[in-house]
Amino acid sequence: MSLETGATTAPRTSLSVEEARNRILGAVSPIDGWERVAIRDALGRVLREDVIAPFNVPAHDNSAMDGYALRAEDLPDGIGERSFRVIGSAFAGRSFSGVVGAGQAVRIMTGGVMPAGADSVVMQEKVRTDGEHVLISAGVQHGQNVRRAGEDLSEGSVAISRGKRIGPADLGLVASLGLAELCVARRLRVAFFSTGDELASIGSPAEPGQVYDSNRYTLHGVLTRLGCDLVDMGVIPDRPEAIETAFCSAAASSDVILSSGGVSVGDADFIRTLMDRLGEVNFWKIDIKPGRPMAFGRIGNTWMFGLPGNPVAVMVTYYQFVMDALLKIAGVTPLPERPLIPMTCTTAIRKSAGRQEYLRGHLLREDGAWEVRPAAAQGSGILRSMSEANCFIVLGESQGDVAPGDTVDVQLFDGLV
Ligand code: AMP
Ligand code: MG
């Protein structure tokens, strides 16, 4: 692993967001270990083996419409119409066992297996019927309204590729192939703790000057959503021995360690020096707001992220740097693209060039058009605006002030799946 800062052309002492992301993602690699689980338990897990279609999907040629199955060659050409004798029916789940001959038709429903001899379905709206016969006019094409066997998936082809994180559609797809189990990567084990002498834990009263530890709860939330096994190590005081003990026990039990706080260069900020002593580490000043200082490295085989202490900075650095690293370590490939959506901004924003800013934003619909407004409170300790927001407004490094009506990039908090 290379954790060197590397030679840069400009004497820049800090990293861009993209550079920091690339270094982290370039350094980490997937864990070994897998298990077979029942498909319901595979939701959110990372597929370890390609899912191969054991048969064609659909298994048979079948009708895409309610109508009549017949031989295309019998259809009238040019002008005029022809009468067909209805010799049976093919409903979904109940096929017609005979053979369709010249001038014959079989009543068929959507999903019904195409009867032998027939190659076309004529929509029921296009025929006139008198019970035993149907009358069909010229102009109906060969092969029409038939879904071919294997047109969704052919037998032996890859239905879902290894490295995908299983979502609801994948569960349905796997079930449609008749498979009951999937081979998934073992869960990632992530240890996390908060550091700070000022932190009180919920359940005990906060003394004057103390604040309740919230970072462990936001981290609990994001890591649980990601499907990790969690090792919550509580609050660790700002004492080097205590932090060292926490790092060592976390490294022994986990794939990844996340700490929050103590990563600046204040008197009580021991994370960086300890990470350096115990393992390999890079301490980065990243041109990002919030979340400027961050440490990244490893102790043995365990990756470490020393996140800042401010509650919003924890979430921003988690989403922008840690989440995709965890996905990569968990075996996800390719990593998901996270779209930036251009959106009209309703409000002026003061922005100094030279760092990438993540503002909490409200995407809302005004007179039928979507637009974005930054939350009023943008302090990096203010979780309420994080809780109320539904997106980040992402202002690139070189961007300056935003005027009302300007277009800005937005990153959504929620997706459908
Ligand atoms: P630090 O980086 O340790 O100096 O922390 C920066 C700011 O974040 C300080 O105001 C801390 O009180 C606050 N902070 C650090 N850790 C937590 C936490 N776990 N929960 C809430 N606030 C925190
Ligand atoms: Mg602190």
Side-chain angles (χ1 to χ4, degrees):
M1 179 193 66
S2 166
L3 288 172
E4 295 86 50
T5 311
T8 50
T9 44
R12 182 171 171 162
T13 53
S14 49
L15 297 183
S16 71
V17 170
E18 196 189 353
E19 209 174 349
R21 261 182 72 82
N22 289 343
R23 288 187 185 205
I24 293 168
L25 293 176
V28 300
S29 52
I31 49 167
D32 291 328
W34 54 271
E35 57 182 325
R36 297 194 76 81
V37 296
I39 63 169
R40 282 194 188 91
D41 298 325
L43 186 66
R45 305 290 297 272
V46 183
L47 194 61
R48 229 352 239 270
E49 274 175 0
D50 290 345
V51 174
I52 305 292
F55 46 74
N56 282 329
V57 181
H60 308 278
D61 290 356
N62 68 88
S63 177
M65 292 284 176
D66 291 347
Y68 293 86
L70 41 71
R71 303 173 354 152
E73 67 192 85
D74 296 347
L75 289 167
D77 343 292
I79 50 165
E81 56 181 19
R82 180 159 184 193
S83 169
F84 290 77
R85 195 160 71 81
V86 180
I87 58 168
S89 57
F91 295 155
R94 255 186 300 136
S95 26
F96 176 77
S97 53
V99 178
V100 177
Q104 297 180 332
V106 163
R107 175 92 174 109
I108 195 163
M109 294 297 164
T110 306
V113 173
M114 285 297 284
D119 57 18
S120 281
V121 173
V122 177
M123 275 168 84
Q124 66 186 23
E125 291 83 347
K126 294 213 173 139
V127 310
R128 281 179 294 126
T129 170
D130 70 355
E132 283 193 11
H133 291 83
V134 286
L135 275 173
I136 299 177
S137 307
V140 179
Q141 280 151 24
H142 178 89
Q144 200 175 317
N145 302 326
V146 177
R147 296 191 287 225
R148 295 281 165 217
E151 90 180 7
D152 293 351
L153 280 172
S154 56
E155 182 181 332
S157 66
V158 175
I160 312 175
S161 298
R162 171 194 165 109
K164 175 138 200 248
R165 218 171 148 221
I166 298 293
D170 302 310
L171 293 187
L173 179 54
V174 170
S176 77
L177 298 174
L179 303 173
E181 291 187 334
L182 285 175
C183 176
V184 295
R186 73 166 171 82
R187 287 182 193 278
L188 208 59
R189 206 166 156 79
V190 182
F192 57 107
F193 56 86
S194 298
T195 65
D197 286 341
E198 76 283 28
L199 300 179
S201 291
I202 55 174
S204 54
E207 305 293 330
Q210 283 196 310
V211 292
Y212 280 110
D213 168 23
S214 58
N215 291 342
R216 267 190 312 130
Y217 295 88
T218 48
L219 288 177
H220 173 93
V222 291
L223 295 169
T224 301
R225 282 248 177 115
L226 215 62
C228 302
D229 270 341
L230 306 189
V231 184
D232 182 342
M233 302 183 62
V235 173
I236 311 292
D238 287 320
R239 273 191 291 112
E241 323 79 66
I243 299 173
E244 177 167 352
T245 308
F247 269 129
C248 292
S249 92
S253 69
S254 305
D255 302 301
V256 180
I257 307 169
L258 305 182
S259 66
S260 72
V263 82
S264 317
V265 283
D267 291 345
D269 296 332
F270 303 112
I271 294 289
R272 173 193 177 182
T273 34
L274 273 169
M275 280 170 77
D276 215 8
R277 185 148 67 73
L278 299 171
E280 275 180 88
V281 70
N282 236 326
F283 174 73
W284 291 332
K285 284 193 192 121
I286 305 172
D287 291 321
I288 187 172
K289 184 186 171 190
R292 197 165 137 80
M294 193 177 107
F296 165 66
R298 71 198 281 178
I299 305 179
N301 290 324
T302 300
W303 297 101
M304 296 184 288
F305 291 86
L307 303 181
N310 273 310
V312 178
V314 167
M315 297 196 79
V316 169
T317 49
Y318 172 83
Y319 287 129
Q320 305 306 327
F321 302 113
V322 182
M323 180 166 67
D324 283 349
L326 295 180
L327 289 175
K328 182 167 179 195
I329 299 169
V332 172
T333 177
L335 287 174
E337 289 282 343
R338 305 197 187 284
L340 286 176
I341 304 164
M343 200 54 68
T344 304
C345 185
T346 57
T347 315
I349 303 173
R350 288 194 63 81
K351 159 78 170 53
S352 29
R355 65 186 182 205
Q356 186 145 314
E357 293 196 9
Y358 291 82
L359 286 89
R360 281 141 274 169
H362 296 267
L363 200 63
L364 38 93
R365 197 151 60 159
E366 206 58 67
D367 299 327
W370 285 95
E371 52 191 35
V372 69
R373 167 170 59 76
Q378 293 288 345
S380 63
I382 302 175
L383 267 180
R384 182 176 57 82
S385 53
M386 188 74 202
S387 145
E388 290 170 355
N390 59 7
C391 65
F392 284 126
I393 298 172
V394 185
L395 303 179
E397 205 178 288
S398 58
Q399 187 161 350
D401 290 345
V402 174
D406 282 357
T407 300
V408 292
D409 282 336
V410 159
Q411 192 176 47
L412 294 180
F413 284 177
D414 280 323
L416 273 182
V417 285

